[in-house]
Amino acid sequence: MPAISEIFVHPCGLCESEAVGLGTRIWAFAHVMQGAVIGSDCNIGDHAFIESGARIGNRVTIKNQVMIWDGVEIDDEVFVGPGACFTNDRFPRSPRMSLPAVVSRYSDKREWLLQTRVETGASLGAYCVILPAITIGAYAMIAAGAVVTRDVAANTLVAGVPARRVGWVCRCGVQTSSHNLPKRCSRCDEVLD
Amino acid sequence: MPAISEIFVHPCGLCESEAVGLGTRIWAFAHVMQGAVIGSDCNIGDHAFIESGARIGNRVTIKNQVMIWDGVEIDDEVFVGPGACFTNDRFPRSPRMSLPAVVSRYSDKREWLLQTRVETGASLGAYCVILPAITIGAYAMIAAGAVVTRDVAANTLVAGVPARRVGWVCRCGVQTSSHNLPKRCSRCDEVLD
Amino acid sequence: MPAISEIFVHPCGLCESEAVGLGTRIWAFAHVMQGAVIGSDCNIGDHAFIESGARIGNRVTIKNQVMIWDGVEIDDEVFVGPGACFTNDRFPRSPRMSLPAVVSRYSDKREWLLQTRVETGASLGAYCVILPAITIGAYAMIAAGAVVTRDVAANTLVAGVPARRVGWVCRCGVQTSSHNLPKRCSRCDEVLD
């Protein structure tokens, strides 16, 4: 898909950020908050939500209903499947709770906000959930419905609740269920290592 | 619910398709794209998304936040529960990726787009995910949160990640956990076979 | 977060209820239906949906895309994480189905509508699903992606599909994986019992 030279926001979409790159398209009922940073040539699907503080690279595909919060950084060329969701708080309580220990915790973002990173070219399947303080390595693939509770190494395929390694993935997306990383991709002949 | 003779689109909903049957209602923040085909007397809940190329029968209930993509065909009288999600690509990568093998794959829909079918009267539970190239048989029931990775036979109840058969379902919705299909439904007395 | 003295509805949000307490904020593309009851100082995130008949207490946090149906009651100071979903029908079929046993069932709400309750201060993780007719005890915590199929006791941490008890939680949110409820919270020193 060739880069186009403008930012497109659907008439029913809402973009409050001034830090969106050229060629990026934001679709109906999606909401990009002020302070979110999005690169160029991205696609942000219907009903997606990008919070202030989130950072997204170039040529990223954000499918419908994806939620990306403050504390999440997404590198170039990542695919975030429909409804995939990040998290940034390990001990969530209603910040409106009157309990002093909770009031105190939510009074300072450094007390509760955890960082998550998705590295170049990774793919996150439909409705996967990424727990806080996780790194997902380059070209890794998260199966649909997986709940990711720890770091995922590059080129790894993980699935299940909680997510476990079930195979390997080439940069081109082809998967193998072999225990050891194969030497070459069966489809694109790329050398893996 | 009696058929009504018009198409209703909520003032906050968005319907771009001209192929929607009479009596169908489309609710707030839902989006039906041009080229989607929807039968008569359906109900499309808030925040649902129906993509160009999707085909939906008559008297279908699509609850809130459901996502139905190109390649998905849904027969008459199906129930698609809240947030249920289909998929149509087995090796998803960002189509904006610069890798030649990926650019080539997404340049032709026949290279990556897989078909899914849901047969008459089936029910899909809340937030279930249907992997691509699946057929869900008539009156089958998918439990909430299930991830469906292979075909589901008619009148079968499946649950879990990945989804496994856990019982049988009558057309009327009554479930049994018995290993063998019972001869008659305990509620509506229908003969099963 | 101090109480503010007005109800805020984002210009892209939709609030049809007249029973919303002061200080409550309703964000973009959220929809609160007429007949939903919401207390004071709540926060209702983008794309959330609150159906007629739902009841929500005070100082509740409802994150984005949460769906709360008729039959669901949520007590004060609960946290409902992103995309968490309730259900209220155990044998869902399309209410538009022509089968007489189904037509009859959906002709009377008392035939199919089940009640769910979430007690004070509980937390529901991202994309958890709560099956119908469940009670979630005070200060319990539901892990992200869990599918809750039976009642959850107060101060219990549950996870998985189906959800099982995996530990205990203090009112302040701190979790422990110990089998027995510890005597005191390691963080806030609260006496548990």
Side-chain angles (χ1 to χ4, degrees), chain A residues 126-173:
Chain A
Y127 277 132
C128 69
V129 180
I130 313 298
L131 292 206
I134 297 276
T135 297
I136 294 175
Y139 302 101
M141 188 171 283
I142 314 298
V147 175
V148 178
T149 59
R150 44 188 182 178
D151 290 352
V152 176
N155 291 91
T156 302
L157 172 65
V158 301
V161 183
R164 307 285 187 203
R165 180 165 70 79
V166 295
W168 300 96
V169 195
C170 178
R171 288 202 296 167
C172 77

Side-chain angles (χ1 to χ4, degrees), chain A residues 107-121:
Chain A
S107 66
D108 182 350
K109 218 195 260 188
R110 288 167 301 182
E111 285 289 309
W112 63 271
L113 183 71
L114 295 167
Q115 310 291 321
T116 291
R117 182 157 185 201
V118 183
E119 295 181 342
T120 306

Side-chain angles (χ1 to χ4, degrees), chain C residues 94-115:
Chain C
S94 177
R96 286 142 200 89
M97 195 179 269
S98 45
L99 194 72
V102 172
V103 172
S104 145
R105 184 161 184 265
Y106 287 108
S107 65
D108 182 350
K109 219 195 259 187
R110 290 168 299 182
E111 285 289 309
W112 62 271
L113 183 72
L114 295 167
Q115 310 292 321

